[in-house]
Amino acid sequence: MVFKKKIKSNDVVKSSKNKANIIGKTGNNEKSKEDIITNWIYMTPQTVDAKMIADIIKTRTSLEVDIWEELDILEVELSDKSMVDFEPMETNMKDPSDAAFVKNRNIKTIFAVTISNGAFEEMKSIMKFVIGELEGFICADSVDFNPIYDASSI
């Protein structure tokens, strides 16, 4: 049985391909597009696990980090007590354009990164350290992966 959920104008809705479709508010919106996006993807040409990311965050910040090594999952508690979750994703994408995107960038590791609404700036500062040491980029979980932030733009 399938249940349909009513969607409010400011909800983030996941499509069947796990791509976030952003439905913006009408009228005056003070939050940036990045603050509205809560689903991001970290991609790197390196072979990386959650422990490696956790070690960088622990070394560079005083944030609380929980890791489940057997599941390769990481949770970071930000200064405002909101969470950033890292979960591994398959690099074998079913969508041909997604597969080409990954192949053209020689991506070996992908993590889904979920953040609380409004926590984008603090998440960016954390990812600056991670990308600085492990390479790669963070991008929106969207149809075209935009916006994309790498070491030079984060």
Side-chain angles (χ1 to χ4, degrees):
M1 181 178 290
V2 176
F3 294 96
K4 292 187 178 181
K5 177 183 169 189
K6 284 192 174 187
I7 299 170
K8 297 177 184 171
S9 65
N10 62 349
D11 283 347
V12 174
V13 183
K14 288 185 181 177
S15 73
S16 60
K17 291 185 180 178
N18 196 26
K19 301 285 185 190
N21 298 315
I22 301 167
I23 304 171
K25 292 181 181 180
T26 56
N28 221 357
N29 188 355
E30 293 181 18
K31 291 189 181 237
S32 70
K33 179 179 177 183
E34 287 85 1
D35 279 335
I36 296 169
I37 301 170
T38 57
N39 297 305
W40 294 84
I41 301 173
Y42 170 56
M43 296 188 190
T44 179
Q46 305 296 323
T47 301
V48 173
D49 61 24
K51 184 176 181 336
M52 294 167 73
I53 297 170
D55 290 344
I56 291 168
I57 295 170
K58 286 178 188 177
T59 302
R60 301 289 194 105
T61 73
S62 60
L63 298 174
E64 184 70 33
V65 177
D66 289 319
I67 184 167
W68 294 270
E69 287 186 60
E70 62 280 354
L71 299 174
D72 203 25
I73 294 175
L74 170 67
E75 183 178 73
V76 181
E77 184 177 332
L78 301 178
S79 59
D80 68 355
K81 303 298 181 198
S82 62
M83 300 299 203
V84 177
D85 297 318
F86 291 78
E87 287 188 50
M89 292 178 63
E90 289 292 323
T91 55
N92 298 330
M93 302 284 187
K94 293 180 182 173
D95 181 276
S97 64
D98 293 353
F101 183 90
V102 169
K103 183 180 179 185
N104 292 339
R105 288 158 181 80
N106 195 30
I107 300 301
K108 291 188 175 65
T109 304
I110 303 175
F111 278 90
V113 182
T114 306
I115 65 169
S116 299
N117 193 6
F120 181 72
E121 286 305 315
E122 189 169 3
M123 188 267 306
K124 262 181 38 176
S125 67
I126 293 167
M127 290 309 298
K128 188 173 194 168
F129 299 132
V130 173
I131 291 168
E133 290 196 35
L134 301 175
E135 299 181 6
F137 55 90
I138 188 160
C139 57
D141 186 0
S142 63
V143 174
D144 63 357
F145 297 109
N146 281 305
I148 298 173
Y149 297 97
D150 62 13
S152 66
S153 61
I154 198 160

